[in-house]
Amino acid sequence: MAFDAEKEITKLWGNLRSTQTEIGRTYFRWRQAALDLAGPTADPLEVSLKAAEVIGKELAKQSLPRLNWLKGEEAWVKSLAGGIAAQWIMQGAVVKVEKGEKPTEAFIRWERCPWPSYAKEYGIKMEEDVLCCDRILETILPDVNAFFNVNYKIETLKAIPRGQGVCLRRLFKA
């Protein structure tokens, strides 16, 4: 039997997409279980924001070994922005990093992201999706800032869940 590379790649691609979808759904299943355990007085947004903090701290730990200050701050900012983009690309998003006007600034542009669809599937408000994504990104920075003795911040300029077509975030030196 001959090996059909195109067929195998198509199969792997389909499996990857299914896995990415299952990860998103698992997050929202976990959210519901946490709310059920926390009881009727639990604030769903607070539960989600706490989870976002945990995720952000973990992503910070993962990013530290990959960041290299020796190539200069401009390369470092691009690397940090690229690492953030890569996390969402692995989850099925289409994300690009763009240079800012200053060497200590980068823009991260999500042109497509599956997370608003998962949130909608589970009846989650779109604003919660934005706030959780923001919290993840904001929580990455304290450890990175402390490790490299810098002060970077990230701000959301546009968000897909707010009907703005893209998520656009500015990573900048404060």
Side-chain angles (χ1 to χ4, degrees):
M1 178 184 219
F3 178 77
D4 184 344
E6 186 173 336
K7 182 179 176 182
E8 292 301 315
I9 290 169
T10 300
K11 187 168 105 178
L12 287 170
W13 183 253
N15 290 343
L16 172 64
R17 302 298 291 172
S18 294
T19 301
Q20 290 167 332
T21 300
E22 192 57 28
I23 289 167
R25 289 178 176 160
T26 298
Y27 171 83
F28 288 105
R29 292 175 191 139
W30 163 88
R31 178 188 178 276
Q32 187 58 53
L35 286 170
D36 290 349
L37 288 170
T41 61
D43 180 349
L45 178 59
E46 288 304 314
V47 170
S48 292
L49 290 174
K50 182 60 180 172
E53 287 177 18
V54 171
I55 293 166
K57 284 186 178 293
E58 289 295 314
L59 292 178
K61 288 179 197 172
Q62 293 172 17
S63 69
L64 288 175
R66 291 172 181 78
L67 295 172
N68 185 346
W69 192 261
L70 297 176
K71 293 182 180 180
E73 193 167 10
E74 187 173 357
W76 181 87
V77 170
K78 184 178 179 183
S79 177
L80 176 58
I84 290 169
Q87 289 297 325
W88 270 262
I89 290 167
M90 285 188 290
Q91 298 171 42
V94 175
V95 188
K96 296 179 180 167
V97 174
E98 301 167 354
K99 280 183 81 170
E101 293 178 14
K102 301 174 187 172
T104 57
E105 175 183 68
F107 291 92
I108 309 167
R109 177 184 298 273
W110 283 252
E111 294 179 353
R112 188 179 67 216
C113 184
W115 285 92
S117 296
Y118 305 145
K120 187 174 183 181
E121 184 178 333
Y122 285 85
I124 310 304
K125 294 178 183 175
M126 290 294 99
E127 190 59 20
E128 181 175 321
D129 181 63
V130 175
L131 294 174
C132 286
C133 193
D134 287 350
R135 183 67 59 93
I136 290 169
L137 295 167
E138 292 163 358
T139 308
I140 290 171
L141 293 176
D143 287 345
V144 171
N145 283 336
F147 190 82
F148 289 97
N149 195 28
V150 293
N151 186 19
Y152 274 81
K153 298 204 179 290
I154 192 161
E155 66 180 341
T156 298
L157 305 174
K158 294 182 180 182
I160 293 169
R162 292 181 179 150
Q164 296 171 312
V166 299
C167 288
L168 181 62
R169 292 183 169 95
R170 177 178 168 245
L171 177 66
F172 64 99
K173 188 173 190 174

